[in-house]
Amino acid sequence: GVYGQAPGVYGQAPGVYGQAPRVYPSAPGVYPTAPGVYPAAPGVYGQPAPAPQSFAQPNTYGQYQQPVQAPLVQVSQVVQATTVSSGPTATVSGAGSSNLNGTYVYKGKEDGVNLYTKPGSYFYIMRHTDNKSNTAWWITEWKGNNKSTTVDYYFVKSSSTLPPSTGWTTDNYCKGERPYPKISSK
């Protein structure tokens, strides 16, 4: 190239003579995906991925910029950040289906009230109002994390804003085992 210009055809963006410049699948100066970190043992800092120079793109002034490097984080910090919540929680205890026991964390809103999920699983505590205005709380599993494919374990008819502590039961469609659970909410 010419001094002060990017490599490539004189006076043109990089590309092939007589053709439009190459377009990469990213905004100027940004990788198409975030820079990776090589795998490392838990608790060990990874090494930053090498910066492929072919993804450098001109900005609106025709100047080239290097892609931004993401800061390194410890692998254990990433795992911890996905499982810790400082918001509302609901703790299931005493369930005959013991895999449902444990602390559920706030996930968002459903039916106008808090939705809770058990970290590392597809188990949820949710309230649902059907088209006949029947309201109940459910301990359920979303198969593949898909709400439309649920497996119900326990329920309690209630329109309360928090999961009821007692009164949980099953019906012919529920997979929950006795004894029935208790829930404490914070």
Side-chain angles (χ1 to χ4, degrees):
V2 175
Y3 292 112
Q5 291 185 349
V9 180
Y10 298 112
Q12 297 180 2
V16 180
Y17 291 102
Q19 294 183 0
R22 250 188 239 164
V23 178
Y24 295 94
S26 64
V30 180
Y31 287 134
T33 58
V37 174
Y38 290 125
V44 177
Y45 287 96
Q47 298 298 314
Q53 297 301 314
S54 61
F55 287 102
Q57 291 284 302
N59 64 18
T60 54
Y61 303 107
Q63 300 166 332
Y64 280 73
Q65 299 174 335
Q66 290 301 315
V68 177
Q69 283 285 7
L72 293 178
V73 294
Q74 205 168 11
V75 174
S76 61
Q77 290 172 325
V78 174
V79 172
Q80 183 181 17
T82 61
T83 59
V84 174
S85 172
S86 61
T89 62
T91 302
V92 176
S93 61
S97 298
S98 61
N99 55 335
L100 300 172
N101 291 330
T103 299
Y104 291 63
V105 297
Y106 175 81
K107 174 80 173 177
K109 294 286 186 180
E110 179 74 26
D111 200 37
V113 297
N114 292 347
L115 169 70
Y116 304 89
T117 185
K118 185 176 179 186
S121 76
Y122 297 133
F123 297 128
Y124 289 85
I125 301 172
M126 62 179 283
R127 192 178 80 176
H128 176 72
T129 302
D130 67 18
N131 58 4
K132 296 178 184 171
S133 298
N134 296 311
T135 303
W137 280 90
W138 298 86
I139 301 176
T140 186
E141 180 178 12
W142 296 1
K143 289 292 189 181
N145 211 25
N146 181 346
K147 182 181 159 193
S148 64
T149 57
T150 62
V151 174
D152 298 327
Y153 286 86
Y154 302 100
F155 75 96
V156 59
K157 291 181 181 181
S158 172
S159 58
S160 66
T161 58
L162 291 173
S165 57
T166 60
W168 294 88
T169 190
T170 59
D171 62 14
N172 292 338
Y173 302 102
C174 291
K175 300 219 181 270
E177 300 289 329
R178 290 180 186 235
Y180 300 131
K182 292 184 178 169
I183 296 184
S184 60
S185 301
K186 292 183 184 177

